[in-house]
Amino acid sequence: MKLNYRGLSYEANSQNIEIAQTEINGKFRGLNYHISRPVNSAGSSVGVTLKFRGVSYSKI
């Protein structure tokens, strides 16, 4: 997906994240909901290179 922010165009790299339902329930403004959490996969984002305001850095 092509996106634009403050005049700069970039391509979005979306990822599909697996989620698992938990036994935890919550209530907000009178509505009940179930808490879900991401499933931890073996190859998840190890050594990701990120960029903020033009400066690259890596997350270990």
Side-chain angles (χ1 to χ4, degrees), residues 6-20:
R6 293 189 177 188
L8 298 174
S9 297
Y10 64 97
E11 193 72 27
N13 298 326
S14 58
Q15 300 175 2
N16 292 333
I17 299 174
E18 265 187 74
I19 59 168

Side-chain angles (χ1 to χ4, degrees), residues 18-37:
E18 265 187 74
I19 59 168
Q21 292 292 332
T22 63
E23 298 296 321
I24 303 170
N25 295 320
K27 192 172 197 172
F28 181 72
R29 292 189 177 183
L31 297 175
N32 294 324
Y33 62 94
H34 300 284
I35 305 290
S36 56
R37 61 173 181 81

